[in-house]
Amino acid sequence: MEDQLLDLPGVTAVDIGEKRIAGRGTGRQGIVVSVARKRTPDRVWPGTHIPPDVLGIPTDVIEEKPVLQHAHHGAEESVALRGRDFAHDGAVTGGDGVAPCRSVQLSPPEVRNAGRYRRTGTLGALVIGHQPAAAAMGLTTFDVACLDDAWAVGDRMVDPDTGYVFAELARGALSGRVDAAAVTLGCGVQHSPVIPGIGPIAGQCAAYPGEPVRKSGHGSGLTAGVVSSVDATLRVDHGAALGVRVLREQIRIDAVDGCFTASGDAGSAVVNSDGRVVGLLFAGCRTGSTGFASPIVDVLAELDVELCVQHQHIGV
C-alpha cells in the first residue's frame, strides 16, 4: 500500500506518526502522507484522492516536500583553489564544509540563473576505511561528493571556506536506504574525531522516536531536534542526471526551535545525547523545520567503513 500511495500525483513521502487534526495530536497512530501542495477535493483528479484510511488506519495529509540539503555557489563566486598539494587550515573535524573541486552546469529551477556552480555540504564525521588499508576518511552525502553520474574515485574535495584541497572521493552509495559518500583525507592533513559544539564521537546506534538529537552543519551550524520517526519513505529529486529516488526506513527529525536544517547541511552527523551518531542528514523540508537522515548503521555498512571514535589512532 505504501507504493500505491507514493504513486499518487504530488505525494512526496509516506510515514507512520500521530494523527493530527488542526495541528493537535489525537493520540491515534496514523499514516502520514506528505504532498508537495495540498489541494481542495474539487481540484484533485478522480481516482487520485488519498483515502481517509488504509485498512482501518487513518491517514493524515500534510504539505511537505523533502529536498536535498546541499548548497550551490556560482563557480566565479567560490573561493579559489589554493595549490595542488593536500592541506587544511587546522584539524579536520565533524561539521566542516566540503565541496568537490569539479563544478557543474545547472539551470533553473535548480538554480536561479543558468551557469556553472560548485556544490557544498558538510563533512559529518570521521571514519576509517577497511579496504585496501585503514585510512582516515570523512562522511558526507552522495549528492554532495559525487554530484551526478560523472563522478569518479579520486575526485578532489576542497574546503569551501578556505580553498584548500584536503581530500579525494573514495566511495559513494545512493540506494534504497542510503545517500552517502566517504572521502579520504590527504596525506599530512590533521584530523580529530570531534564535532565542535557537540563533542567527541562515542560510536553509533539506532535512533528511536522521541530521542533528542543534535547536528552541526556547514549551513545552519549547531541545531537541536527530536526524532519523530524511523520509518519514513521519501521521494527525493536528485537532479536531471540521477532522477527521483525513493529511500525507505529513513529517520525524520523535527526541530526543537524553528530550524533543524538548511542548505549546506547535507552530510551532517545526527548525534544523540550520549555522543553516538544515529544518522547522516541528507534532506529536509523547505522551511528547515524537519530533517531526514539515513540510518548510520546502513551508511557504514554500504560504504564499508567504521566511525572513528575518541582516542582511536588512524593514519593519513
Side-chain angles (χ1 to χ4, degrees):
M1 190 62 189
E2 180 180 77
D3 287 338
Q4 293 175 347
L5 290 172
L6 282 173
D7 287 341
L8 293 175
V11 172
T12 59
V14 177
D15 200 357
I16 301 297
E18 184 181 13
K19 169 73 174 178
R20 304 180 72 86
I21 297 177
R24 295 184 177 182
T26 63
R28 298 178 59 195
Q29 190 176 62
I31 299 173
V32 181
V33 183
S34 301
V35 296
R37 180 175 297 177
K38 295 182 75 169
R39 301 180 185 273
T40 57
D42 61 302
R43 299 192 66 186
V44 179
W45 286 98
T48 64
H49 290 80
I50 296 170
D53 67 86
V54 175
L55 301 177
I57 302 174
T59 58
D60 189 8
V61 181
I62 64 173
E63 188 170 287
E64 178 182 78
K65 183 178 181 180
V67 293
L68 296 172
Q69 293 295 281
H70 56 247
H72 285 124
H73 301 281
E76 69 283 355
E77 302 169 353
S78 300
V79 173
L81 303 184
R82 302 179 65 172
R84 293 186 175 184
D85 296 330
F86 290 116
H88 197 269
D89 186 12
V92 174
T93 64
D96 285 351
V98 62
C101 292
R102 177 168 67 99
S103 61
V104 291
Q105 181 71 30
L106 298 175
S107 301
E110 193 167 6
V111 291
R112 181 173 297 178
N113 301 306
R116 296 202 68 82
Y117 289 81
R118 183 172 291 157
R119 182 171 294 177
T120 63
T122 300
L123 195 76
L126 296 185
V127 293
I128 307 169
H130 292 148
Q131 297 294 333
M137 308 171 84
L139 286 180
T140 189
T141 62
F142 182 96
D143 64 277
V144 168
C146 301
L147 288 170
D148 51 29
D149 57 357
W151 67 281
V153 171
D155 285 349
R156 291 202 157 192
M157 302 290 139
V158 62
D159 181 329
D161 296 324
T162 66
Y164 283 116
V165 176
F166 71 99
E168 59 184 24
L169 180 59
R171 306 164 192 187
L174 182 58
S175 67
R177 294 289 298 274
V178 160
D179 180 341
V183 300
T184 302
L185 304 186
C187 182
V189 173
Q190 298 300 307
H191 48 272
S192 177
V194 301
I195 302 176
I198 294 178
I201 295 302
Q204 80 267 2
C205 65
Y208 62 86
E211 182 174 30
V213 292
R214 293 182 293 170
K215 74 100 186 77
S216 180
H218 188 250
S220 62
L222 183 65
T223 58
V226 176
V227 174
S228 57
S229 172
V230 294
D231 197 33
T233 297
L234 318 177
R235 289 172 53 89
V236 184
D237 189 354
H238 279 77
L242 299 172
V244 175
R245 301 298 183 99
V246 175
L247 282 83
R248 303 179 189 275
E249 297 180 31
Q250 303 298 288
I251 304 168
R252 178 192 292 265
I253 306 109
D254 293 330
V256 169
D257 185 18
C259 173
F260 183 74
T261 181
S263 297
D265 285 342
S268 302
V270 179
V271 185
N272 69 13
S273 57
D274 295 326
R276 296 183 181 275
V277 180
V278 300
L280 191 71
L281 183 80
F282 67 94
C285 67
R286 294 190 183 278
T287 64
S289 60
T290 300
F292 298 93
S294 295
I296 194 63
V297 173
D298 295 331
V299 168
L300 299 177
E302 292 208 26
L303 294 178
D304 191 28
V305 296
E306 64 181 69
L307 282 171
C308 180
V309 298
Q310 192 178 28
H311 306 310
Q312 186 174 23
H313 174 75
I314 50 178
V316 293

